[in-house]
């Protein structure tokens, strides 16, 4: 569903599990800092809002989105984490360079999720224009960083519930 039809910051707060017991990594790309820092603020504030402790949120910056998977692996090899959130913004230029970056990051994070059995969240904007980026970093379509934090909490809680032997998870 396009972001225009589903605001990135809209979720059912009452249905979201507490993040109190979870530890998170946040890896942020330096490219397009006005955008990625807005994503980070939305992400961090959402984790805190839902009970995460400041001491359990570990943050690192990397040069660009292409480095997000490597940064995420360095982070989870250093800290005991329940989820790693990767934030970036890859704006299309004149060439197809953006496609290679986007595909590499998506594949890299998927591979990490499979290898570690933990969520590596794809909080990367892939807009065609700066306006589309701003619209998704706290603009009219919400904040991708909020969506990424909510996803991280839900996936960490899912793993926790499965470990506890629950068989029917997420059905209200
Ligand atoms: N153009 C963008 C980049 N490019 C840099 C790459 O991510 C990478 O750092 C470089 O290719 C060296 O490996 N990165 C973004 O995050 N956003 C862009 O718009
Ligand atoms: C996505 C990018 O790396 C971008 O800055 C590259 O721009 P261009 O395709 O014009 O070289």
């Amino acid at each position: 569903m396009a972001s225009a039809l589903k605001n990135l910051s809209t979720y059912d707060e009452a249905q979201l599990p507490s993040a109190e017991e979870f530890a998170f990594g946040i890896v942020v790309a330096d490219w397009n800092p006005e955008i990625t820092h807005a994503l980070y603020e939305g992400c961090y504030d959402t984790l805190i809002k839902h009970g995460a402790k400041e001491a359990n949120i570990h943050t690192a910056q990397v040069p660009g989105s292409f480095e997000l998977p490597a940064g995420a692996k360095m982070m989870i090899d250093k800290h005991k984490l329940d989820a790693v959130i990767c934030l970036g913004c890859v704006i299309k230029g004149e060439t197809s360079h953006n496609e290679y970056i986007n595909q590499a990051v998506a594949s890299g994070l998927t591979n990490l999720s499979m290898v570690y059995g933990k969520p590596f969240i794809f909080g990367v904007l892939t807009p065609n224009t700066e306006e589309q980026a701003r619209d998704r970093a706290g603009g009219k379509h919400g904040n991708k960083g909020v969506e990424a934090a909510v996803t991280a909490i839900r996936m960490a809680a899912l793993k926790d519930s499965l470990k506890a032997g629950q068989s029917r998870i997420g059905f209200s």
Side-chain angles (χ1 to χ4, degrees):
M1 177 185 287
S3 299
L5 300 174
K6 181 187 180 303
N7 189 285
L8 295 166
S9 298
T10 302
Y11 62 98
D12 185 347
E13 295 188 18
Q15 291 295 320
L16 194 65
S18 169
E20 188 175 4
E21 299 304 318
F22 299 136
F24 301 92
I26 307 177
V27 188
V28 189
D30 287 345
W31 267 73
N32 305 305
E34 176 192 337
I35 301 297
T36 59
H37 293 179
L39 298 178
Y40 175 75
E41 294 299 323
C43 178
Y44 185 89
D45 290 349
T46 301
L47 294 176
I48 296 293
K49 177 180 180 178
H50 289 281
K53 302 181 181 73
E54 289 185 18
N56 291 342
I57 302 174
H58 305 272
T59 301
Q61 290 182 269
V62 294
S65 292
F66 188 85
E67 284 73 38
L68 286 171
K73 186 180 189 306
M74 294 174 192
M75 176 84 75
I76 202 163
D77 287 344
K78 171 70 177 171
H79 302 290
K80 186 178 185 303
L81 302 173
D82 296 291
V84 183
I85 301 161
C86 292
L87 303 173
C89 177
V90 182
I91 301 177
K92 176 160 181 49
E94 293 177 350
T95 72
S96 55
H97 192 222
N98 66 305
E99 294 169 24
Y100 290 89
I101 296 171
N102 296 335
Q103 187 54 56
V105 177
S107 298
L109 296 183
T110 300
N111 292 338
L112 286 170
S113 296
M114 298 300 107
V115 167
Y116 284 87
K118 293 186 175 182
F120 288 75
I121 308 303
F122 185 68
V124 180
L125 295 175
T126 58
N128 297 312
T129 65
E130 287 193 32
E131 181 182 9
Q132 287 179 355
R134 286 193 295 272
D135 287 347
R136 291 157 176 80
K140 66 182 179 182
H141 295 321
N143 189 319
K144 189 78 173 176
V146 173
E147 179 202 54
V150 170
T151 303
I153 294 169
R154 288 189 59 192
M155 290 303 288
L158 172 61
K159 186 175 175 80
D160 220 31
S161 302
L162 289 168
K163 196 185 301 181
Q166 293 180 38
S167 59
R168 189 175 167 81
I169 300 161
F171 294 87
S172 52

